[in-house]
Amino acid sequence: MIVADFRGITDYDNYRSEQAAWLETLANDPVFTTARFRIAICHMPPSTRPDVWHGQREVMEKFVPALNRLGIDLMLCGHEHRYEFEAPSGRISFPVLTNGNETAVVATYDGQALEVQVVDTKGSVVERKRFAGK
């Protein structure tokens, strides 16, 4: 039997620190500052729950403060394997849409607003949200 051991080959804590430093540079990036919509895509959603996994706590601690300052319109995530939509709250000033195993996210822009639909495996719309942007 072959057993694979992948411990020690990645350093996600430092990688997330590097990503957080990069996020701070966006405040001076004209492409970012003039964008009509600012959407962050992150594998793991941030969480304020005390029992959450270390990686999600780091997303909350390292990314969310910068994303709050940057005026993000929406964060798209996965990781949890279930659909969830979290409205802005005290610590996270933007909505977080976590997609699931049995849903797909479809986004369309009509020249005025961004519409995001969450569609289940039968094609039914589970959720529809509109964002006006900047």
Side-chain angles (χ1 to χ4, degrees):
M1 174 167 65
I2 297 173
V3 176
D5 184 357
F6 298 105
R7 290 178 289 180
I9 65 169
T10 61
D11 186 1
Y12 289 115
D13 291 357
N14 282 326
Y15 184 59
R16 281 188 288 270
S17 294
E18 290 175 15
Q19 289 177 315
W22 174 81
L23 280 174
E24 296 292 348
T25 70
L26 294 177
N28 298 315
D29 183 332
V31 173
F32 178 82
T33 59
T34 60
R36 174 96 192 237
F37 295 96
R38 298 174 188 160
I39 301 171
I41 300 173
C42 186
H43 175 74
M44 291 180 290
S47 180
T48 58
R49 295 187 324 256
D51 62 335
V52 76
W53 179 68
H54 168 75
Q56 285 180 271
R57 272 195 314 275
E58 282 220 320
V59 169
M60 185 68 199
E61 294 165 5
K62 292 182 178 182
F63 298 168
V64 169
L67 295 173
N68 283 341
R69 286 191 299 279
L70 291 167
I72 296 300
D73 296 300
L74 172 67
M75 178 182 255
L76 299 175
C77 301
H79 186 71
E80 295 289 322
H81 304 277
R82 61 178 156 55
Y83 165 72
E84 184 177 356
F85 183 83
E86 202 173 323
S89 63
R91 292 186 59 199
I92 304 171
S93 64
F94 48 87
V96 178
L97 189 157
T98 304
N99 196 31
N101 288 358
E102 308 219 351
T103 53
V105 176
V106 179
T108 55
Y109 176 65
D110 64 9
Q112 300 292 320
L114 178 70
E115 181 174 278
V116 177
Q117 294 181 29
V118 178
V119 182
D120 68 16
T121 57
K122 295 177 181 147
S124 300
V125 175
V126 175
E127 183 101 50
R128 178 178 285 132
K129 302 284 184 184
R130 286 181 63 82
F131 301 91
K134 309 294 181 244

